[in-house]
Every structure is written in C-alpha cells, then in structure tokens.
Amino acid sequence: MKQKPNLPFWGLWNLSFGFFGVQIAYALQSANISRIFATLGADPHNLSYFWILPPLMGILVQPIVGTLSDKTWTRFGRRIPYLFIGAATAVLVMCLLPNAGSLGLAVSAAMMFGLIALMFLDTSINMAMQPFKMLVGDMVNEEQKTKAYSIQSFLCNAGSVVGFLFPFFFTYIGISNVAEKGVVPDSVIWSFYIGAAILILCVIYTTLKVKEWNPQEYAEYNGVAESKKEEEDSANWLTLLRKAPSTFWKVGLVQFFCWAAFLYMWNYSTGAIAETVWNTTDPASEAFQEAGNWVGVLFAVQAIGSVIWAAVLPQFKNTKAAYAFSLILGGIGFAVVPFIHDAYLQFIPFLLIGCAWAAMLAMPFTFVTNALQGYGHMGAYLGLFNGTICIPQIVAALCGGVVLSLVGSHQSTMMVVAACLLVIGAFCVTVIRQK
C-alpha cells in the first residue's frame, strides 16, 4: 500500500469547505425546528417526536450514500456527485419548510406539511454531509487526519455560528420577529432563504476545487487489492458490521450517550431558556420568540467555544483523556443551565458545552477511520457508523415526552438529563483501545 501524500493546508481546507454551507443549513434546522413546530401549535410533551425524522432519515440515507459512492466512479468523482445532489435538494426544501404556517392550512395540515419538508430537508442534508467525512477518509493520511478533521470541525462550527445568529441578526436589522398565531416570523423565514443561498455557493466551491483519485490511485493508497475486488463488491452491510474492528463499536457506545444528550439540547433549549430567563412557556408570546432568538445566540456561543477548543484538542498527548475531559466539561455546562437566570451569563455553560461538541465532531472519526485502514468500503463503514449518531437520537426522541413528565414537565430540567448522559459517555471512553 502506497503512503498517502501530505496535503498542503489549503488542500485540506478545500476538502471540507463546502461543509461550512451544509452546517449553516443544519444549524438553522437544529436551532429552529422546535421553535417552528411550537409556533405551529405543537404540545411541549410531543416536541421530541418531531425530532425522530432527522436521525431516522440519517440512518437510512447515509449508509446508502456511503455504499453507492464506494462503487461510483465518474468524471466528477465518487463522493462529490452525491454531495452536490444533496445540497441542491436542501436548497429547495429550505425555501419551503419555514412557510408551513403561511399557506393558509389548518394546524394539522400545516404540521404535516412541516413534517414532510423536514423529512426531505434532513435527507438532503445527510446526503450532502456524509461525503465530506468520506473525502477525508479517502484522501488524508493518518498523520494529517486529526488536523483534517479539526479543520472540518472549525468550518462546521463557523457555519453553525452563522446559521444560529441569522434570526437574531435579521431581527436586529428590522425584519419582524413576531407574526400572527401559527405563522413563523419573517426573521426565521429569511434566515432559511439566505442560508440556502450560501449552502449552494459553498458546495460549488468544493466541487470546483477538489479532484478525487481515480479507482487505481484509490486502490493503491487505501490498500484495496485487486484480488479482493470480488469480495469487496459482494460484501453487504451485515458482513461489514460483523467484520468491523472493535474500535467501531466502542466509539459507538460513547456516541450513544453523547448524541442523546445533544438531541435533548436541540429539542428543549428554546423552552428551557424561555422558562429560565424569560419566565414564559407561551409560544405565542413575544417573550418566547425573543427566547428563540437568544437560543440561536447561545448555540453560536457554543459553536465559538467549540472552535476554540478544537484548536486546543490537538495539543493533548493522550487523545482518550482529551475526549473524556471534553465530555465532562460539556456535562458541567448542561448541569448549570437551569440555575442561571441572566441571559448573558448563559454564555458560560454554552461555552463548556462547545468543548464537548468539538470532541464529538473530530475524535470519533479519527479513531474509526484509523482503525478502518486496509478494510476497504470506507464510505459504507462511515455510513454505517452514522448509525451511532442517529440511533441514540431516535431513542432519545421516543423517550423524550416520558422523561420530560418524569422530571416535572420543566424543559429546563432536561438539561440536567443531558448532563448525566454526557458524563456517562465520558466514562465509556475508557473502553476504547487507541491504535
């Protein structure tokens, strides 16, 4: 197997730049879905059910995209065609979703329209997102992989900051942040429009700048021998999972608790901040919409904390210790959210939460892609590994209403639940064997 060449900084940057636009779309979805459906009239105990669709589509789409792209060789590359098609679809759906309440539909019909739009949005975002991780796995050597995923983490969080701040920014420049009952404010609608435009421009940049290896070069650099070609082509997902390295499963265990925690953050932060800082639970009130904007600001603060921490992580000599420590910091951040009643002091816990997010974006893929060297089927494996992101979110979403009732129906208390999950994830890091 030939050693993959070192890539210059801008080569690593170009591999992931389109992720900036994809993450703006993902940030708008993460910060505003609960707000949109609450505005349409959803009960807080049912909000978590709306969050089943995104990870469900992810667990279906990403293995398919990974497997198909492993076998796709075109003049445009093997991963990039899927990236571009996913982004183009996301742009269309981003222009439809926030208008669910503006079409004159009954409440139930508006929610159904929103659900269908959300399903297509998350399908397309997943289709566009996964190829970036595969490109790094395909073309970056082990020595540079942490750096490559750190760059991807930086771009991811920079995109998040932009997406999270859009509603707050558009409200600041005079676009209305209130609307009649059941209608999403213009500040949110225009955020989705502008986010869609940036998404397609960023993806076009990556498609123009990145040239993927041809099949022969890929085989030489990734240790996929011709004698194994028949086996490679016929392997199915169950076979791949049976042969997966133990690191695949051990990192997956950590992922389970981490992503369940963040599902509860995305789901309940708007209600939690409205309760804790604005003292309201009424989605029709101006105070609730202000809280919704402020959640975007707090998520942006989390993303900034993640950018800073992503620069610190490579300085740790022990990767496992850095991973576990980051998750514990995030757990502390979640735990103190319900006890801080000043909007600006909420920056502190969300900076700590950003530390956990930085580790979750970079370290699992570093462990897994290093363990997969020589296995082949990199795209299929990373698509299957996405199950460790999606399954915990589905489980958490299904249990969300029950857990909310158990903690007294206070959405702010769900942040403490998220804290406990992250701490458990930190302890599970100890079972990972470092190569």
Side-chain angles (χ1 to χ4, degrees):
M1 181 174 70
K2 289 175 63 175
Q3 175 66 31
K4 295 177 184 177
N6 282 334
L7 296 177
F9 174 83
W10 291 112
L12 297 173
W13 176 274
N14 291 339
L15 280 176
S16 296
F17 182 73
F19 208 87
F20 175 80
V22 175
Q23 194 60 29
I24 289 178
Y26 191 69
L28 285 168
Q29 173 187 289
S30 300
N32 293 287
I33 288 305
S34 287
R35 177 183 182 180
I36 288 172
F37 283 104
T39 300
L40 293 177
D43 182 273
H45 290 82
N46 297 329
L47 275 179
S48 65
Y49 299 135
F50 295 103
W51 284 90
I52 294 173
L53 272 178
L56 181 61
M57 297 316 299
I59 201 172
L60 293 174
V61 171
Q62 295 208 27
I64 293 172
V65 171
T67 301
L68 292 178
S69 66
D70 278 342
K71 301 175 183 179
T72 298
W73 299 98
T74 71
R75 58 187 293 246
F76 302 106
R78 64 197 305 227
R79 316 295 188 190
I80 286 177
Y82 295 90
L83 186 165
F84 192 84
I85 293 170
T89 306
V91 167
L92 175 62
V93 182
M94 287 176 72
C95 295
L96 295 174
L97 173 59
N99 289 294
S102 307
L103 303 175
L105 302 172
V107 172
S108 59
M111 286 195 185
M112 183 58 65
F113 179 90
L115 275 172
I116 294 171
L118 176 59
M119 179 181 71
F120 279 102
L121 177 58
D122 210 78
T123 300
S124 55
I125 288 177
N126 274 290
M127 190 172 180
M129 186 181 294
Q130 191 70 358
F132 289 105
K133 295 180 173 64
M134 297 174 192
L135 285 170
V136 173
D138 288 346
M139 302 180 68
V140 179
N141 61 38
E142 289 193 26
E143 181 183 345
Q144 289 189 301
K145 204 161 280 180
T146 298
K147 183 178 180 180
Y149 281 124
S150 294
I151 291 172
Q152 195 168 98
S153 177
F154 169 81
L155 289 166
C156 171
N157 286 293
S160 295
V161 170
V162 174
F164 290 145
L165 288 178
F166 266 169
F168 182 84
F169 171 75
F170 286 125
T171 301
Y172 177 78
I173 64 175
I175 295 176
S176 177
N177 191 49
V178 293
E180 60 185 277
K181 186 175 181 179
V183 176
V184 177
D186 286 345
S187 58
V188 177
I189 293 174
W190 276 100
S191 297
F192 275 78
Y193 289 168
I194 302 302
I198 296 173
L199 166 60
I200 198 64
L201 290 174
C202 290
V203 168
I204 288 173
Y205 176 90
T206 291
T207 60
L208 293 175
K209 289 291 186 179
V210 174
K211 179 175 173 55
E212 295 186 69
W213 290 327
N214 61 41
Q216 292 75 27
E217 290 172 321
Y218 177 83
E220 291 174 359
Y221 285 120
N222 287 276
V224 182
E226 281 297 316
S227 60
K228 295 171 66 177
K229 188 175 189 305
E230 185 176 340
E231 177 188 347
E232 294 278 332
D233 289 341
S234 62
N236 57 44
W237 292 346
L238 291 177
T239 301
L240 294 177
L241 289 173
R242 182 169 53 84
K243 294 182 177 180
S246 62
T247 300
F248 182 98
W249 299 105
K250 291 174 180 177
V251 176
L253 177 64
V254 180
Q255 292 271 83
F256 182 89
F257 295 103
C258 294
W259 285 94
F262 272 80
L263 185 281
Y264 286 145
M265 182 193 79
W266 296 323
N267 196 344
Y268 297 108
S269 284
T270 300
I273 297 303
E275 285 179 9
T276 304
V277 180
W278 269 266
N279 298 312
T280 183
T281 57
D282 180 13
S285 67
E286 184 177 353
F288 188 91
Q289 296 300 335
E290 288 179 8
N293 276 2
W294 196 251
V295 166
V297 174
L298 293 176
F299 283 7
V301 169
Q302 172 214 313
I304 292 169
S306 185
V307 170
I308 296 170
W309 195 248
V312 174
L313 284 175
Q315 310 307 316
F316 283 85
K317 293 183 178 180
N318 188 316
T319 309
K320 283 175 55 177
Y323 193 6
F325 181 57
S326 301
L327 298 181
I328 289 173
L329 289 177
I332 294 171
F334 276 127
V336 299
V337 166
F339 305 101
I340 298 178
H341 303 287
D342 181 270
Y344 290 95
L345 287 180
Q346 286 284 355
F347 287 177
I348 297 171
F350 278 86
L351 283 170
L352 294 175
I353 293 168
C355 297
W357 184 242
M360 287 167 57
L361 288 177
M363 291 188 169
F365 290 97
T366 299
F367 284 123
V368 171
T369 54
N370 284 344
L372 288 172
Q373 287 301 315
Y375 274 70
H377 298 290
M378 180 67 76
Y381 268 118
L382 289 183
L384 291 168
F385 184 68
N386 188 62
T388 68
I389 295 173
C390 299
I391 291 173
Q393 293 183 70
I394 294 170
V395 173
L398 287 171
C399 298
V402 175
V403 176
L404 179 61
S405 297
L406 291 174
V407 297
S409 296
H410 295 294
Q411 295 186 55
S412 55
T413 313
M414 294 299 287
M415 300 299 103
V416 178
V417 175
C420 295
L421 290 168
L422 271 192
V423 171
I424 294 171
F427 281 107
C428 290
V429 171
T430 58
V431 306
I432 299 173
R433 288 186 62 187
Q434 199 167 346
K435 185 175 179 182

